[in-house]
Amino acid sequence: ACPNWHILKILRYTTDSRRYCVRIHGIEFKGNDDKSVTEKLKKCFSDMNLTYDSNNIDRAHYIGKEYINKQNKKVKSIIVRFRSWNSRVAFYKARPKYLKKVEPGSKSPKFSVSTDLTKRRYNLLKVAKEKVKDNPHVDYVYSDINCSLAIRFKDESFAFFNDIDDLDNLIVI
């Protein structure tokens, strides 16, 4: 048995509670009001060729610190909790089509969408990306639709990892 089973159980619970959420990064920020968030969310749905239905959204609000983006605009992230898994999946899976629709004259999309990871898992993902960047056997590491962390190898196989030891064991050359 795993000596840290209780820690793994807590980590699984915190990850599962975020499974209905996504983060939308790079949203222009002018103030912290709910009407502004709803309007920005409607615009994101429209840009992704999706129909906005408030019945599918449990709640949405700004999260994190504001920052200045490459276009010199003040932006912030929005976290969205969907009421159903299917609504969240539909939104999340629309990302690739949206990313292909970059505005003329712009080198990057207006916003990006990611899974909502715990701080621990987000930091682990950052460390993992750094560790594998020069590894000749690894394409990339990522967070999948279920918020699980995975590594994709050059041979198109993949494996999941939950901590740095798991990752180290996977990337041994």
Side-chain angles (χ1 to χ4, degrees):
C2 177
N4 295 325
W5 64 268
H6 59 284
I7 293 171
L8 292 174
K9 194 172 184 179
I10 291 168
L11 291 173
R12 177 45 81 198
Y13 173 75
T14 57
T15 299
D16 285 351
S17 69
R18 294 167 181 253
R19 287 186 67 221
Y20 288 87
C21 299
V22 296
R23 288 187 185 223
I24 306 172
H25 308 279
I27 301 298
E28 195 168 346
F29 180 70
K30 294 183 180 167
N32 240 351
D33 65 65
D34 289 338
K35 188 175 182 181
S36 168
V37 171
T38 302
E39 293 307 312
K40 301 290 183 180
L41 199 50
K42 286 179 182 177
K43 179 76 171 113
C44 291
F45 270 80
S46 173
D47 288 351
M48 293 173 75
N49 291 328
L50 296 171
T51 303
Y52 176 83
D53 182 354
S54 62
N55 293 322
N56 290 332
I57 308 294
D58 186 22
R59 60 184 173 268
H61 58 85
Y62 286 108
I63 190 167
K65 295 179 181 176
E66 56 196 64
Y67 59 95
I68 304 298
N69 69 5
K70 292 176 184 174
Q71 289 79 30
N72 211 25
K73 294 183 179 181
K74 190 185 336 181
V75 296
K76 201 167 181 176
S77 296
I78 292 176
I79 188 165
V80 182
R81 181 170 177 90
F82 290 88
R83 290 198 172 139
S84 76
W85 175 252
N86 290 340
S87 298
R88 185 232 189 224
V89 167
F91 186 84
Y92 191 74
K93 284 190 172 181
R95 294 170 323 134
K97 291 177 193 161
Y98 166 71
L99 293 174
K100 290 178 183 173
K101 276 185 9 179
V102 176
E103 291 181 2
S106 174
K107 293 182 181 173
S108 61
K110 291 185 223 170
F111 62 89
S112 64
V113 179
S114 70
T115 55
D116 181 36
L117 300 174
T118 62
K119 186 172 186 171
R120 178 195 167 278
R121 291 178 75 73
Y122 176 75
N123 288 336
L124 178 57
L125 183 62
K126 281 179 25 180
V127 168
K129 284 180 179 181
E130 189 61 32
K131 276 191 159 223
V132 304
K133 73 178 181 183
D134 295 324
N135 188 308
H137 304 291
V138 175
D139 266 341
Y140 51 86
V141 293
Y142 63 100
S143 167
D144 73 3
I145 198 164
N146 293 310
C147 300
S148 297
L149 300 181
I151 183 169
R152 168 106 176 191
F153 297 98
K154 297 280 186 191
D155 67 3
E156 297 186 4
S157 66
F158 65 93
F160 295 104
F161 63 95
N162 285 310
D163 58 35
I164 206 70
D165 291 335
D166 287 350
L167 178 67
D168 287 341
N169 290 334
L170 291 168
I171 60 174
V172 173
I173 298 176

